[in-house]
Amino acid sequence: MTNPLNLFDRPNSYIGKTVPRPDARRLLEGRGRFVDDIQLPRMGHAAFLRSPHAHARIVSIDVAAARAHPGVIAVFTGAEMAQHVEPYVGVLTHLAGLRSAPQHPIAVDIARWQGEPVAMVIADSRATAEDAAELIEVEYDELPAACDAETALDPGTPVIHPAFGNNLAWERTVDVGDVDAAFARDDVTVVERTMRFGRHTGVTLEPRAAVAEFDPSEDRLTFHYSGQAPHMMQFIFAKHLGLPEENVRVVAEDVGGSFGIKIHTYGDEVATAAAAKVLRRPVKFVADRAESFMTDIHARDHVVEGRMAVTADGGIAALAFDDLTGIGPFSMYPRTSAIEANQVLNLTGAPYVVPNYRATARVVFQNKNMMCQYRAVGHPIAMAICDGLLEDAAAAIGMDPVAIRRRNLMRDDGYPCASASGMKLADLSHHKAMDRLVELMDYDRLRAENAALRAQGIHRGIGFCSMVEVTNPSPMFYGVGGAPIASQDGATLRLDAGGGLQVASSVTEQGQGTNAILAQIAAGVFGVPIERVRVKTGDTETVPYGGGTWASRGAGIGGEAMLQAALALKSQVLDVAAVILQARPDDLDIRDGSVTDANGTPRMTLSDLARTVYYRGNELPSDLTPELIATRHYRVTDFPFVFTNGAMAAHVEVDPDTGFVRVLDFWAVEDCGRVINPQLVDEQIRGGVVQGIGGALYEECLYSPEGQLLNTTMADYLVPMAGEMPDIHVAHVETPTRTSVLGAKGAGEAGTGGAPAAVMNAVNDALRPLGTSIWQMPMTPERILKALGRV
Amino acid sequence: MKAPDFRYERPASLSEALALLAEEDATPIAGGQSLMPMMNFRMAAPALLVDLNGLADLAGITAADGWLTIGAMTRYAALEGSAQVMEGVPLMARALPHIAHPAIRTRGTLGGSLALADPAAEMPAVLLALGGEVVVEGPGGPRTIAADDWATGLYETARAPGELVTAIRVPLAAPGQRFGFHELARRHGDYALAGVCIAATGDAVRVAFFAISDRPVRAPGAEAALATGDIDAAVAALADLPIDGDLHAGPDTKRHLAGVALRRAWAEATS
C-alpha cells in the first residue's frame, strides 16, 4: 500500500493543481453531444398539451382532429398512457408520515397544476406536434384551487387529495433542551422575524431533454437524457414500464447544467419512454423554455416564523422556528418533496453551539408546479434563519456580527461533535474560515469606509454567513428509506496496449468538471500524463453501478472510488512489472507513463508492459495472471453526511430612492477538504454564489392567486446576469475529511447555500440606520421601497 | 415552442412590399427581435411574413433642414455608430445603449421599435420627447404622423393596415437645448421599471415617460412645472398621471420610480 501522504506530492500528481478541463476544447468547438443533437431514423417528436388551469376536472377530451392531422404519428391521453405506465408515489419510509398520491405521467381525470401534461402528440416534427396539440379539444370543469401554502391547511381550503382529509403532506418537529425556559429567562434579548423565501427554479442552459429508443427484438429501452442519475432512472423505467432492469440503458452524455432539477421523475420524460416502447420507434422530447419554467421542479417557497434568544454577551440561548413550505400537488418521485424541509430542520444553527432548539416543519400540498431538490437543498433557508436572526440579535444588543459569530461558532478543535439537531459533525473549521474571511475582506477598513460614506448619504452594508454544507451523503440520505438511489459509486481503470488509461465512473458530468477531476485523480495516482486518460461517465451500460452526481458527492465519493481503483491497478501493474524486470514491486513506481525504479529512473514504458501482456503472453511465466483492469467502489460509512463549512460576506449598496441593491463585492472562504482542482472549485463556489444572489435579489416564479404562472420567459424571470454580479473573492481552508484517503468533501452547493443569508444581512445592515429591515426573498425594489415606507 | 407554418416573401422594392402587405394576415418583419419570439410563442401567427431586409433604400440616415431622417430599417447598431446621431440627436444617443444587449441592437431596427410600440421601449419615448415624426407609406402613398399621435394604445399605433413605417424624423438639437434621460432597470438591458426622456428648449419642456403605461406618455403637469424649473412640483404633478403596474412593480411603485427617474433626468438636463 502506497503511503497516502505521498499521493498528493508525487512528482506527477495532478491533485491540487489547476488543470484545464480535457473536454473544454471539444465543447468550445461546438462538438458537444447533447440530447437534442441526436437524430435517429423514424424518430418522432413529442409535444404536450398542458393544463391551462391550476385545478380542473377533465370532463372530456377529443383528440380526433389531432390524430387526423398530417404528420401526426400518435396521440396519447392520460388514460391511454396509464395503460402502459405503472403509477408512482413519492414517499420514503425514513420520512415517517410523508404521504402523497399515485401520479401518472399524463393527468387522468383531474389536472392539479397549470402545466401538468393532459395529452401527448408525437409527430414528424415538433412544430407539427404543436400544431396538432392545438387541435385537441378538452372540456374542463374548473375546480377551486388551493394555491397559497399559507392557507393550504385552513378548513375552507379545497383538499387536493380528498382521501387525506387535508393538504398536509408531512410534519416533523425537533425539540432539544428547554426552549420555553430559555426564552423566558430575564437575562436574554429575543428577536423574532417572519421570513419569506420565494419559489425559484434551476434555469439550466440546456433544458430537460430525452430521446427514447425501443428495440422490440430485445425488449430493450435506450433512454438518452439530460440528467444526473442514470442508474436511478434505469430502475424507474424498468419498474414503471415493466422491463427487466438490465434491458434498460440510460445514457447522459454532455449535460448543459442541472443544479438538481434533472434528478427527478418527470411525467413528460416517462411518457416519452413509454411512447417509444408502444410505438416501437424513437421519440424525442425537448422542453422549451416556457415548459421549463412551468414544469422543471421549483424550489424554496418557505414561510418561517423564527425566534432567537441571546444573552447580554451574545451567547445563543435558544433558537426556535416554524417552517411552512408548499410543494405542489404531489411529492416528487422518487426523492420526495419533504427533503428540503427536513434539511431546514437538520441544518439550521448547525455552525453554532445552540443549547436549546425547537423546529417544526409543515409540508403542504397546493395547486402549483411541484417543488423538490434544487442546488443547496434547504441550505439557503436554514442559513438565513439562523444567521439572519443572529445578526438581528447582534444589532439588538449592539454587538459586532463577527464578534457574535466568534462567540457562538463551534470550536475548531471540538470535533467530532453533533449539532443541536443531532447531525454528526467532524473536521470543520468555522473559526479559521472566519479569520481568513475578515483578513481577506479587510473588514475593519470596510466598516470605517461604510461609516464615512453613510455620512454622505450612501447606504452600504456588510453581511455575513457562517455555513455548513451537506456533502458526500451516505445511504442514510435516500437508500435507507427505500429509494432506488445508490450511495456508493464505482470506478474502473483499464490500461490499454498503447499505455493509456480508459477510465469509467458512475458519477456524472453536468458541466461542472467532474470528468476533469476524475482524470486528474486517475492520472496522478496511477502515474500517467493526464492526456493519456479517457474518461467515460453517464452510461449505465459501460460504467460501474452508482448514484451519479448530486448532493455534492461527485468528487468526494466518485473521486475516492477513482483513487482506490487507481491504487489497485497500480499495484496489479507493478506485480507484473516486477516479474518482467526481476525486481520487487515495492522497489518500483509508475511515473509519467513508465515503470520506474524507486528514484524515478524509467525501466520500461507502460505500453511495453501492456503489449507484453496483451500480445506476447508467451514471454510471461504461465502462473502469472496479469490483470490490467481494476474496479473499486466507495461509500461513506460512520457518518450520514460529510459536512463542509464556509464563511461568506457580502458588501452591498442600497439606493433608498429606488430600492435597488447593488452587490459590490462578495467573499467566500470555503473548507471543502482537499481541493482537487483549484480553478474548478473556485468556479463552483462563484457559480453557486451567483445562484444564491439570484435567489436573494432576482429570481421568483410568480403565480397569480388562481395558480397561473406569470413569468415563463427569460425576460420576465430575472436570472442574475454577469453585468450585475460583483467580484467574488474565493479562498480556502483545507481540512481533509477523515472518511477517505482523498480527503475531498463536496463544494458544489456552498455558494448557493450561504450567499442569500449574507446578502440579506448586508441589505439589512444598510437598511437598519434607515429604521427598517427586510425579511423576504427575493429582495426586490418594490419590497425594499415598501419596507422603507416610500411606497 | 415552434412557430406555426407561414409563407415567406422577401420583396426587392417598396412597391412590391406594399403589394404583399395588402394580402390577408401579412406581417412585415424587420429585425425580428420581438416578432420572432412572439411567433414562437404562437402569440403572433401571420399567414405571410414579408421580410423587409432586402429593401436597402429603407436604411440610412440623412440630414436636411434641421431634421434627421432615419430609414426604418436602420439598425440600432448603425445609429450608435453614426456621428450624425451622436452629435445631432444627443437624447437618442443617450438612450441607445439601454436598448437590450449588443446582439439585439445589431439586428433590431428603429422602424421595428416604432411599429411595435412596446410601452417599455426607449425609442418611441425618445421620439415623443423630441417631437419627432413617423413616416408611413401605404397603397394611398406616404404620410407623416407626429410622435404625439403615433401610439394609440398597447402595441397599437396610428399606422393603418397595409401601411409600412418607412422613416423616422427627428429634429436636430438646437443650440442651448438640453436633454435628460434616465431609466430604472434592475439588470442592464432589461425593460425599465420606469423611464423618462426630457427635452428642454428655453421654457418649453417636453417630458415623455416609458414603461409606466400602455404607451409612452407625456406628462403635461410635470412639463408645466419644469418650465418654471420646479422639479418638486413636477414630481408632485405625477400624481395625476394614469399609471399601470406590471409583474415587477405595482402602480404606486411605478409612480414613485417615475418621480425618481424624473429627478435624475432633470438633474442631468440642468447640469
Side-chain angles (χ1 to χ4, degrees):
Chain A
M1 176 74 187
T2 312
N3 180 347
L5 288 177
N6 292 337
L7 275 178
F8 308 107
D9 46 19
R10 281 164 48 81
N12 57 344
S13 177
Y14 294 94
I15 296 171
K17 298 192 174 73
T18 289
V19 174
R21 298 169 52 155
D23 57 359
R25 178 171 169 180
R26 182 174 62 81
L27 294 169
L28 284 171
E29 288 192 0
R31 293 183 182 277
R33 293 179 295 270
F34 298 92
V35 172
D36 200 31
D37 295 324
I38 298 171
Q39 301 295 340
L40 296 173
R42 300 178 68 247
M43 187 167 74
H45 298 261
F48 289 87
L49 182 70
R50 296 178 182 277
S51 171
H53 304 296
H55 200 192
R57 182 176 304 282
I58 299 165
V59 178
S60 67
I61 178 162
D62 182 353
V63 300
R67 282 209 172 103
H69 190 71
V72 169
I73 296 163
V75 179
F76 292 93
T77 63
E80 288 162 347
M81 184 55 71
Q83 295 169 16
H84 307 289
V85 182
E86 185 191 319
Y88 35 93
V89 185
V91 296
L92 291 171
T93 57
H94 65 314
L95 299 167
L98 172 63
R99 54 190 188 172
S100 187
Q103 229 189 313
H104 295 277
I106 300 176
V108 180
D109 298 335
I110 294 176
R112 294 181 179 83
W113 85 90
Q114 180 222 13
E116 183 171 10
V118 167
M120 178 190 203
V121 179
I122 297 149
D124 55 13
S125 74
R126 169 75 185 227
T128 304
E130 289 185 22
D131 289 344
E134 289 184 348
L135 300 174
I136 297 174
E137 284 185 29
V138 185
E139 187 190 336
Y140 292 101
D141 177 11
E142 218 180 321
L143 300 170
C147 296
D148 182 0
E150 294 186 59
T151 59
L153 298 177
D154 291 355
T157 301
V159 176
I160 295 172
H161 305 293
F164 292 163
N166 60 34
N167 289 321
L168 185 69
W170 190 64
E171 190 168 25
R172 183 189 162 207
T173 296
V174 177
D175 196 350
V176 178
D178 191 338
V179 169
D180 293 331
F183 277 108
R185 280 164 55 175
D186 55 14
D187 64 337
V188 297
T189 300
V190 176
V191 290
E192 189 163 3
R193 296 289 177 183
T194 301
M195 302 186 191
R196 288 190 162 78
F197 302 85
R199 272 187 171 231
H200 52 263
T201 186
V203 198
T204 54
L205 197 55
E206 182 202 18
R208 291 190 295 109
V211 169
E213 306 175 63
F214 187 74
D215 182 346
S217 71
E218 289 189 312
D219 198 28
R220 184 160 192 264
L221 174 74
T222 302
F223 191 77
H224 305 266
Y225 91 130
S226 178
Q228 26 179 154
H231 279 107
M232 183 192 91
M233 293 312 296
Q234 178 188 48
F235 172 93
I236 284 166
F237 288 125
K239 178 172 181 196
H240 296 280
L241 300 185
L243 294 165
E245 264 176 73
E246 62 276 17
N247 284 12
V248 177
R249 178 185 179 192
V250 178
V251 185
E253 285 203 68
D254 291 320
V255 174
S258 189
F259 314 122
I261 69 139
K262 295 176 179 171
I263 204 159
H264 313 292
T265 305
Y266 290 94
D268 43 29
E269 294 179 27
V270 174
T272 299
K277 179 167 178 265
V278 173
L279 300 174
R280 300 179 165 209
R281 60 191 292 177
V283 178
K284 175 187 278 188
F285 167 67
V286 180
D288 63 35
R289 189 56 67 184
E291 283 181 304
S292 300
F293 280 119
M294 225 183 288
T295 66
D296 287 359
I297 57 100
H298 294 174
R300 323 307 183 216
D301 198 4
H302 291 248
V303 182
V304 176
E305 307 272 351
R307 285 191 298 158
M308 181 182 278
V310 296
T311 56
D313 69 342
I316 298 173
L319 172 62
F321 65 91
D322 290 324
D323 176 25
L324 174 75
T325 179
I327 58 164
F330 297 98
S331 168
M332 202 78 184
Y333 179 70
R335 288 169 192 258
T336 85
S337 302
I339 295 285
E340 176 150 291
N342 200 40
Q343 296 273 64
V344 173
L345 263 53
N346 285 343
L347 303 182
T348 302
Y352 303 100
V353 177
V354 180
N356 301 291
Y357 177 70
R358 183 168 63 215
T360 296
R362 284 175 303 156
V363 176
V364 299
F365 296 116
Q366 60 188 162
N367 292 113
K368 286 183 182 175
N369 182 26
M370 283 173 286
M371 195 283 281
C372 202
Q373 281 77 290
Y374 159 67
R375 194 175 194 178
V377 184
H379 292 63
I381 290 102
M383 304 311 145
I385 293 171
C386 186
D387 276 47
L389 291 172
L390 188 66
E391 291 209 5
D392 205 30
I397 62 170
M399 195 166 175
D400 179 87
V402 173
I404 200 167
R405 283 185 174 77
R406 286 183 169 140
R407 167 73 178 75
N408 290 287
L409 285 168
M410 288 191 174
R411 285 168 39 199
D412 290 356
D413 61 0
Y415 299 103
C417 63
S419 73
S421 64
M423 294 287 106
K424 283 171 78 175
L425 304 170
D427 311 317
L428 301 182
S429 60
H430 287 295
H431 288 270
K432 272 198 214 96
M434 182 55 73
D435 292 348
R436 182 81 184 89
L437 178 70
V438 166
E439 175 195 346
L440 191 66
M441 64 191 289
D442 201 354
Y443 177 54
D444 293 337
R445 184 197 59 77
L446 206 60
R447 273 272 174 236
E449 183 183 290
N450 282 3
L453 288 170
R454 179 83 66 177
Q456 299 168 32
I458 294 170
H459 303 276
R460 292 187 173 179
I462 303 168
F464 293 87
C465 178
S466 285
M467 51 99 53
V468 295
E469 183 198 340
V470 167
T471 79
N472 299 4
S474 79
M476 302 309 286
F477 202 15
Y478 288 114
V480 66
I485 299 168
S487 57
Q488 61 87 63
D489 275 87
T492 296
L493 287 88
R494 187 182 76 208
L495 178 64
D496 278 356
L501 286 180
Q502 296 282 345
V503 312
S505 168
S506 54
V507 295
T508 51
E509 165 74 83
Q510 45 256 19
Q512 72 278 65
T514 306
N515 288 357
I517 61 112
L518 292 173
Q520 285 178 260
I521 295 166
V525 174
F526 180 70
V528 294
I530 195 166
E531 298 77 23
R532 302 304 308 276
V533 179
R534 290 206 68 85
V535 179
K536 177 70 184 172
T537 53
D539 185 345
T540 55
E541 190 167 75
T542 55
V543 304
Y545 200 96
T549 300
W550 40 270
S552 297
R553 65 191 298 286
I557 294 178
E560 177 71 7
M562 185 61 74
L563 179 147
Q564 295 295 345
L567 287 175
L569 182 64
K570 181 177 180 181
S571 168
Q572 290 165 205
V573 167
L574 290 181
D575 283 346
V576 177
V579 171
I580 296 173
L581 296 171
Q582 300 293 301
R584 294 190 324 130
D586 286 352
D587 294 337
L588 299 172
D589 196 2
I590 301 174
R591 294 183 194 178
D592 272 333
S594 288
V595 177
T596 70
D597 61 22
N599 63 20
T601 306
R603 299 285 304 274
M604 73 184 302
T605 66
L606 287 170
S607 175
D608 282 349
L609 181 143
R611 289 188 206 282
T612 303
V613 168
Y614 289 134
Y615 306 155
R616 303 187 305 277
N618 56 300
E619 294 176 7
L620 301 172
S622 37
D623 61 348
L624 183 70
T625 53
E627 291 289 351
L628 303 190
I629 185 168
T631 297
R632 289 294 182 273
H633 291 81
Y634 172 74
R635 72 180 194 282
V636 174
T637 53
D638 301 330
F639 287 84
F641 307 100
V642 176
F643 280 93
T644 73
N645 67 280
M648 301 183 186
H651 188 212
V652 307
E653 183 173 315
V654 177
D655 180 341
D657 289 331
T658 61
F660 283 27
V661 175
R662 196 152 61 97
V663 185
L664 303 168
D665 268 300
F666 197 96
W667 299 268
V669 178
E670 162 75 353
D671 186 348
C672 62
R674 180 149 350 256
V675 172
I676 300 166
N677 184 322
Q679 185 180 44
L680 287 176
V681 172
D682 286 0
E683 296 312 323
Q684 277 282 310
I685 301 294
R686 290 196 178 97
V689 166
V690 168
Q691 271 181 317
I693 292 173
L697 296 177
Y698 296 103
E699 298 186 50
E700 186 166 20
C701 302
L702 298 165
Y703 278 88
S704 75
E706 298 77 30
Q708 296 287 316
L709 182 61
L710 302 173
N711 49 349
T712 59
T713 72
M714 298 295 287
D716 294 327
Y717 180 96
L718 309 184
V719 295
M721 303 277 275
E724 284 70 37
M725 288 303 102
D727 282 346
I728 300 167
H729 315 273
V730 182
H732 302 277
V733 175
E734 289 192 60
T735 313
T737 169
R738 67 188 65 188
T739 56
S740 70
V741 174
L742 182 61
K745 311 169 192 170
E749 303 169 88
T752 311
V759 173
M760 183 181 77
N761 283 336
V763 169
N764 283 336
D765 185 45
L767 289 178
R768 257 185 213 103
L770 298 167
T772 191
S773 55
I774 182 167
W775 304 93
Q776 180 170 14
M777 296 185 199
M779 296 174 281
T780 63
E782 184 162 74
R783 287 170 182 156
I784 288 177
L785 287 172
K786 283 183 174 165
L788 285 164
R790 304 280 176 107
V791 169
Chain B
M1 291 262 177
K2 306 290 180 195
D5 208 5
F6 55 86
R7 190 158 69 86
Y8 171 86
E9 297 287 351
R10 186 181 165 99
S13 69
L14 182 57
S15 57
E16 199 185 329
L18 292 175
L20 287 164
L21 287 169
E23 294 186 26
E24 198 170 340
D25 283 340
T27 297
I29 183 165
Q33 297 304 293
S34 299
L35 181 58
M36 297 287 290
M38 288 166 74
M39 288 172 64
N40 285 341
F41 271 111
R42 298 190 171 218
M43 291 157 62
L48 168 62
L49 207 56
V50 181
D51 187 347
L52 306 180
N53 286 280
L55 305 179
D57 293 350
L58 281 191
I61 303 166
T62 51
D65 305 329
W67 286 70
L68 211 57
T69 301
I70 302 168
M73 285 299 291
T74 308
R75 319 260 175 204
Y76 299 125
L79 296 173
E80 285 182 286
S82 159
Q84 285 170 301
V85 172
M86 291 296 118
E87 291 157 22
V89 197
L91 184 62
M92 183 178 279
R94 181 79 177 74
L96 279 165
H98 292 269
I99 301 171
H101 305 280
I104 290 172
R105 296 201 293 274
T106 298
R107 191 75 193 155
T109 65
L110 184 60
S113 175
L114 269 300
L116 181 67
D118 189 304
E122 289 84 356
M123 287 299 116
V126 166
L127 200 70
L128 189 58
L130 292 177
E133 299 168 349
V134 183
V135 184
V136 300
E137 188 161 343
R143 64 187 179 112
T144 297
I145 300 163
D148 278 302
D149 302 324
W150 178 245
T152 57
L154 186 64
Y155 298 109
E156 286 176 2
T157 68
R159 182 175 67 97
E163 281 184 329
L164 193 63
V165 176
T166 55
I168 285 83
R169 288 169 46 76
V170 285
L172 289 166
Q177 199 178 7
R178 292 166 296 153
F179 303 98
F181 176 89
H182 199 85
E183 75 167 51
L184 293 167
R186 299 196 58 201
R187 306 178 305 175
H188 183 84
D190 276 355
Y191 284 125
L193 294 174
V196 68
C197 308
I198 300 174
T201 315
D203 57 2
V205 181
R206 288 175 70 98
V207 174
F209 283 98
F210 55 99
I212 62 166
S213 182
D214 64 350
R215 69 194 91 172
V217 287
R218 287 183 62 187
E223 289 180 354
L226 290 180
T228 67
D230 189 344
I231 181 64
D232 290 333
V235 172
L238 300 182
D240 300 331
L241 213 55
I243 290 185
D244 301 322
D246 65 20
L247 207 50
H248 299 292
D252 294 344
T253 302
K254 290 236 176 201
R255 194 181 306 279
H256 170 80
L257 292 175
V260 174
L262 184 62
R263 283 183 192 279
R264 293 179 182 184
W266 182 247
E268 181 180 293
T270 54
S271 65

